Every structure is written in C-alpha cells, then in structure tokens.
Amino acid sequence: MIDENQSGGAVMSNAMLLSAMLAVATVLPQAAAAQQEAPVTVTSRDGGFVITGTLAGFDGQLLRLSTDYGPVTVDIAEVTCEGAACPDPSAPMVPTLRLSGAPALGAVLLPALIQTFAGRRAVSFDRADPAPDRIEIALSDAGVPVARFELTLSTTEEGFADLAADEADMVMAVREIRADEAQRSFDAGAGDLTGPRRLRVVALDALAPAVSPANPFGGASFPMLAGIWSGEIADWSALTGIEAPVAVHDLPAEGGFAQGFADRVLAPAGLAPAPTVMRHDDAAELALAVAQNPAAIGLARFSQIGNLRPVALVGDCGRRLSLSAASLKAEDYPLAAPLALYVPARRMPQIFRDFLDFLGTPAADLVVRRLGLTDQVPVEVPLADQGERLANAILAAGEEVSLGDLQQMLVELADTRRLSITFRFRGGSTRLDPMSESGVDRLARDIAAGIYDGRQILFAGFSDGDGAAAGNREIALRRAEAVLAAVREELQRLGTPPGAGPALRAEGFGEALPLACDDSDWGRQANRRVEVWLR
C-alpha cells in the first residue's frame, strides 16, 4: 500500500418520479455498460409506480437503478424490490458511505471529524480497524445503527479508480482530478466531478519546496524547480554559488502530493522526476532528512514542514510569493494542496448530507486546527500588513499602470481590511474554481449569520497584465460583479431578505496589484482574482 502521508437532493415523491427521472437523465449519463447486469423491478408501496432496470448500487438506504430513462434513485423503505440482485429484506438496512483515497484525509482527519459529528448528534461512535488500510466506523442511537463509514486508505489515484468501479461513494483527494479520471467517473454514472459543488474542501495544506535553514537558497521559479526535480539542475553552484550536488527528496511517486507537484510544475515543462529523487513514505520523515542535509531540497507538506524553510516562488520579473497560513487561505500560494472530498452527482442518505454540511462549521474547523492543518475560517488582514503585495505593485508600475493609478487604488482601500477569501476562475473561463465555490458558500453563510452587519464589503477585481490596462479593468470589474451576484444568489437561497446585512459593491482595479509575474500560466492565474475587502 502507498502511504499518502498519513500522520444530492432529497428522495423523490411518487408524483415527481417521472419528471425527476427525465431531468436527471439530462445531467447524468447512462450507467456504464461494463457494470454488472442485475435486473430488478421496484414498485412503490402504494402501487403508484413500477420501474424496471439494472441495479447500479445500494448504500444501505437508497437503491440506484439504470433504466431507459437514465439513472434513478429510490428509497428502499418506500418500495418493494423484486429480482435476484435486490437487497435481502431481512438484513439490517444501515446507510453506508464508502470513502477511498488519500490517507492524509482518511487515517486521522476524517475519523476525528466523524467522531465530533457523532458527538454533536448525541449518537455513539465505534471504530474498528480490520486491516492497516481499512477503517470502519459505526454510528448508533440507543444501540440502533444509524450509519456506517467505510474508509479505504490507498492513494488519490486509486480512490478515483474505486469510484469508477462502484467500489467507493466518495474520493479522498489531495490533488485535482485529472481529465482521464473525470471521464471515467462520468462514464460510470458519477456525473461531472469538475462541475459546481462536486469538490468539498475539508482542510488546507500545501506543497512546499523546502530546504534546511543552513541552505542559503532563497527562491525558485517553476522552471527552476522543474530543472531540479528532473535532474537538469544537479549542482547548487548554479543556484547559490556553493559547489555541492543537489539531493532531491519527495513523497511517493504514486501519491497525490507528488502527482500534484508533477502535474503543475514538471508536466508544463515536458519533464519528469529523475530516478535519483529520494522517496519517503512519510512527510515527517522527509522533513527530517532534508533538515539534516544542507545540500538537500524536498517537497514537504506545509502541515508537517518541521523546521524546514519553505522556498519562495519567484518569477523572472522578481515578484515573490511566500507560503504562510494567510497566503494559503487566500489562495495566493499556487501550490496549495487542499484535502478534499470529490462527491458524485447523485443523491445520498440524509445523514451523509448532514455530515458534509457539518464540515463547514466552527466545530469542524476546530478539529482541523487541532490536527495541525489550516482551516478555512476567514481572517482579516490590515492593509498595512500587505507589504509584499504592495511592493509587487510598485515594481510593476509603468506606462500601463501609473503611480497615480496605484494611489487611487489605495484611496479606495483606505481603512479597509482584506478578508482571506479570494475568488478565482477556471482557466479560460468565467466559472469559479472549486475552492472559490466553497468561498461563496462560506461568505454567504457568515453574512446571513450577521457576522458583517454594519460593515461594507468590497469585491475587488484584479487581472493579469496581458492586453490594454483599460480593458483589463473592465474584465476585472465584470468578474467582481459576477462574484457579487453569486454571493447574493446564495444569500437568497439561505432566505436572507434583499438589502439585509452589509452593503455590497464591486470595483475593478485591473492589473494594479499583481501577485506574480505574467510570464507563466501560474503567474497569470494568480493575478486573475477577486478579493474581499471590509470597511
């Protein structure tokens, strides 16, 4: 087993069944032909409908069928089921959630969150570990089982494979889903896992190229890191003037952290890790090995970085992006590695929907912090503490963005504090990325709860430097207005009356406050954003 660094809506009524089936069929594909053929017929208890299809799955409460209308989900308690593949009616019907993937979530974090969730519902929590890579958790109310969680600890990659094979209901991931994994999941009836609300971020972590405090190496660009990991840069003399071979340490190649680094840093350069890269099963073990060798550099986890010094990311223009809890929360650091669940586009028992909702609560955030990870609770950062960002802006001033433009921006932001929620967009799109979708939900919940009553919220749009400055300001404004509209839509869904809470407005500042250089895809992506400022 690879150690990856351990440390849907309600069930339909009879009257709505046919229309819901047709609606679902327009969103989800037919179940994959490779699924085991298991013909069944389900009939509602009152005889209102009869459906024949093949059994696509059963989670202890909900039957998933493949039918001529597309995928259909029914509650086993509301129907009778006929066919050899039907669940045994005499067996206990306990809702069961199968999770597979990264031990970074499954070994400690999710069991701790499930235990806290159980405590808040006043139900008992019983854990069993039948194998080193297997955890089974049962929740019971007065001795009556109410839910089961089955966690398989493998890798992010194997988690997606299990989902496509209907051996898992959710994926525990530490990197973004790849295109081939998304296609296989779609073909298997899990829906579009790159779509809205399919990623549920549980905690924040980051990939941190890091060195011993005795190593003078101060900053690296993505191409430089790619050269180091591929072996093209094999000696420190080219980087620090010290003649010593570079010793590269990394996490398991099959694990999600190393794969995420390869996808974002090595693949764009057309490179692969050198065979000389030293692999460590455990992130703490890696940190210790790098700390003991001034000639070493390693891909550490921010949560387990020990006394290593993270290497700042630097572009050819000289702008630097440093790693901190604040830059991680704000998505300013481009090698973030959120610990997240990929949730298929299908209905699930209510208790598991409640668990997903629980993950965004203060009680869950407390569990995340106690385990040494970074939570998603927004923090306010005064303008006076934005030194690195303001220095980048001054360095970038020129013909397109004058010093007067920067002064006007500072007038707009005077007496404000930046909230560590940043909204970003998918490449070449106006769609928010998954982290930003979570940010809309959290900000709207906090506004609805009255946290920002009596204050003003400014959605400040920024762009990269490609194109004319006037056009970039217009693009930035449209993005800021799109985020404002998304927050208002979520507030309406939460039942908040129009005009209640803080005043909301949008402004576009274009390329006036760059985070990174525009000479790379990741730099331009970092600069295209909408920030939240409070007054």
Side-chain angles (χ1 to χ4, degrees), residues 103 109 170 232 235 370 399:
L109 177 57
M170 288 185 195
E232 290 187 352
D235 196 277
R370 285 177 172 172
E399 293 183 5

Side-chain angles (χ1 to χ4, degrees), residues 35 46-47 79 95 108 141 144 162 207 244 355 397 422 424 438 464 506:
Q35 284 182 320
D46 61 4
V79 299
V108 177
D141 186 2
V144 178
D162 285 345
L207 309 175
F355 175 68
T422 303
R424 299 186 186 279
S438 297
D464 59 36

Side-chain angles (χ1 to χ4, degrees), residues 215-372:
N215 188 323
F217 188 45
S221 65
F222 271 31
M224 189 182 296
L225 290 173
I228 292 171
W229 254 255
S230 68
E232 290 187 352
I233 300 175
D235 196 277
W236 284 109
S237 59
L239 304 173
T240 64
I242 299 173
E243 293 200 12
V246 178
V248 182
H249 296 255
D250 206 336
L251 299 166
E254 299 86 352
F257 291 112
Q259 288 181 339
F261 182 78
D263 289 349
R264 282 185 264 182
V265 176
L266 293 166
L271 299 172
T276 54
V277 172
M278 289 168 274
R279 302 287 178 177
H280 300 266
D281 286 341
D282 183 76
E285 172 191 304
L286 180 149
L288 181 61
V290 174
Q292 293 173 341
N293 182 2
I297 184 171
L299 182 65
R301 285 180 59 185
F302 180 57
S303 61
Q304 295 179 280
I305 200 168
N307 67 344
L308 298 184
R309 180 170 54 81
V311 174
L313 300 178
V314 182
D316 291 341
C317 67
R319 294 175 200 144
R320 300 170 62 88
L321 287 176
S322 301
L323 175 57
S324 65
S327 67
L328 190 54
K329 287 189 177 191
E331 281 196 271
D332 288 350
Y333 184 73
L335 290 179
L339 310 185
L341 297 174
Y342 274 91
V343 183
R346 61 173 66 131
R347 284 179 300 283
M348 66 182 71
Q350 182 65 50
I351 191 167
F352 301 133
R353 284 181 270 145
D354 292 345
F355 175 68
L356 290 178
D357 290 340
F358 162 76
L359 295 179
T361 64
D365 290 327
L366 180 60
V367 172
V368 169
R369 288 195 297 274
R370 285 177 172 172
L371 293 178

Side-chain angles (χ1 to χ4, degrees), residues 32 63 96 111 139 167 170 179 223 275 280 303 361 426 468 489 502 506:
L63 282 167
T96 301
L139 305 187
E167 295 176 359
M170 288 185 195
H280 300 266
S303 61
T361 64
R426 300 171 193 261
E489 182 179 347

Side-chain angles (χ1 to χ4, degrees), residues 37-178:
E37 294 295 323
V40 298
T41 298
V42 296
T43 306
S44 63
R45 301 275 180 190
D46 61 4
F49 65 79
V50 178
I51 305 172
T52 298
T54 57
L55 185 65
F58 177 60
D59 60 16
Q61 178 181 343
L62 301 178
L63 282 167
R64 288 186 290 112
L65 307 178
S66 295
T67 76
D68 292 340
Y69 299 101
V72 175
T73 302
V74 294
D75 192 322
I76 189 67
E78 297 180 359
V79 299
T80 58
C81 184
E82 298 177 4
C86 289
D88 181 358
S90 65
M93 299 294 179
V94 182
T96 301
L97 184 66
R98 303 166 299 168
L99 302 105
S100 178
L105 278 87
V108 177
L109 177 57
L110 280 178
L113 288 166
I114 295 169
Q115 185 170 19
T116 303
F117 172 72
R120 294 180 68 84
R121 292 179 73 100
V123 298
S124 64
F125 170 96
D126 295 294
R127 170 175 171 164
D129 296 68
D133 61 349
R134 179 83 171 176
I135 298 172
E136 297 178 354
I137 296 171
L139 305 187
S140 303
D141 186 2
V144 178
V146 295
R148 284 177 55 84
F149 294 80
E150 298 177 353
L151 288 73
T152 300
L153 312 182
S154 53
T155 66
T156 299
E157 186 172 35
E158 291 183 37
F160 284 118
D162 285 345
L163 180 66
D166 197 29
E167 295 176 359
D169 303 308
M170 288 185 195
V171 179
M172 302 179 290
V174 295
R175 61 161 171 80
E176 290 185 19
I177 189 171
R178 291 170 167 173

